[in-house]
Amino acid sequence: MTKKIFAEKLLAVEAIKLSPDAPFTWASGWLSPFYCDNRKTLSYPDLRTFVKIELARIVAERYPEAEAIAGVATGAIAQGALVADTLGLPFCYVRPKAKDHGMQNLIEGHVATGAKVVVVEDLISTGGSSLKAVAALRQAGCEVFGMVASYTYGFPVAEEAFAQAGVELTTLTDYEAVASVAAATGYIRPEDLETLAEWRANPAEWRK
């Protein structure tokens, strides 16, 4: 039920963008006709609160022994901090790479060696950047219990990567829920579903 509710909320603030004629380019290099601008949730207080409460609920229910929250920069810094504040836990965030000046930190904030950490991410595509953050935390001596995120595209490559890394992932909603609600409400056209199906079948090679 949460997946459908959150999908409806994302569509209501037009966080879902469809542009088959001018595809988006992801950090992974993949082209995509579909984009979830999940960070827009931060601009709407009621929606921001919904995301904060639901992510915090997942952490509290699944990982009651968690001792700290880590956000993945930059998209999940705000969401992670909100979740940590709600749960009364320490917070840090992980950069994609260490700073080239100052303290040259990769992990910003204090996290104790051996701490039981839950990672907060905003969106999962291939899973590469998310799991780099997990690796950095483990290298720092943390025990990563799992990851929570607002949205996932649900690609097999990401599911396999998380399984190999031994990281449990829980999300508020996913591609299937968003596409289903978008089609049912007329947010996307029937012909757009064909384009999305072609893309989903082989996203790494679509339009290349």
Side-chain angles (χ1 to χ4, degrees):
M1 181 63 71
T2 299
K3 287 185 176 182
K4 181 180 178 182
I5 292 173
F6 188 42
E8 291 172 345
K9 291 180 180 294
L10 287 174
L11 293 167
V13 299
E14 298 184 346
I16 305 302
K17 306 295 182 183
L18 195 68
S19 180
D21 297 326
F24 304 98
T25 301
W26 289 355
S28 61
W30 289 7
L31 296 178
S32 172
F34 182 99
Y35 190 82
C36 178
D37 187 8
N38 188 57
R39 300 177 198 191
K40 287 188 74 172
T41 61
L42 295 169
S43 299
Y44 299 87
D46 289 345
L47 183 50
R48 184 175 67 227
T49 299
F50 175 88
V51 172
K52 174 186 69 175
I53 290 174
E54 289 301 312
L55 289 177
R57 177 185 59 79
I58 293 171
V59 174
E61 291 178 356
R62 288 183 176 268
Y63 313 107
E65 61 273 64
E67 297 173 332
I69 300 295
V72 181
T74 57
I77 292 177
Q79 290 179 344
L82 288 167
V83 170
D85 190 59
T86 301
L87 297 173
L89 292 175
F91 175 73
C92 66
Y93 70 86
V94 186
R95 293 176 173 274
K97 62 180 181 179
K99 290 170 62 177
D100 58 5
H101 59 281
M103 297 293 291
Q104 299 182 338
N105 292 334
L106 179 58
I107 299 174
E108 297 287 5
H110 174 73
V111 58
T113 301
K116 299 171 182 177
V117 178
V118 175
V119 180
V120 175
E121 179 64 289
D122 69 326
L123 180 148
I124 308 293
S125 53
T126 64
S129 58
S130 306
L131 291 175
K132 279 181 64 178
V134 170
L137 289 162
R138 286 174 170 169
Q139 189 171 9
C142 299
E143 183 179 357
V144 177
F145 272 27
M147 183 179 297
V148 297
S150 295
Y151 176 88
T152 180
Y153 285 97
F155 293 123
V157 65
E159 294 177 354
E160 181 179 343
F162 273 85
Q164 289 181 349
V167 178
E168 181 181 57
L169 173 66
T170 307
T171 64
L172 297 186
T173 194
D174 52 32
Y175 170 85
E176 285 78 11
V178 169
S180 175
V181 173
T185 58
Y187 193 92
I188 58 177
R189 304 168 299 175
E191 55 266 35
D192 292 329
L193 289 174
E194 296 179 12
T195 300
L196 290 174
E198 292 174 359
W199 168 67
R200 285 278 291 175
N202 191 2
E205 300 298 326
W206 186 76
R207 295 272 175 98
K208 289 189 176 180

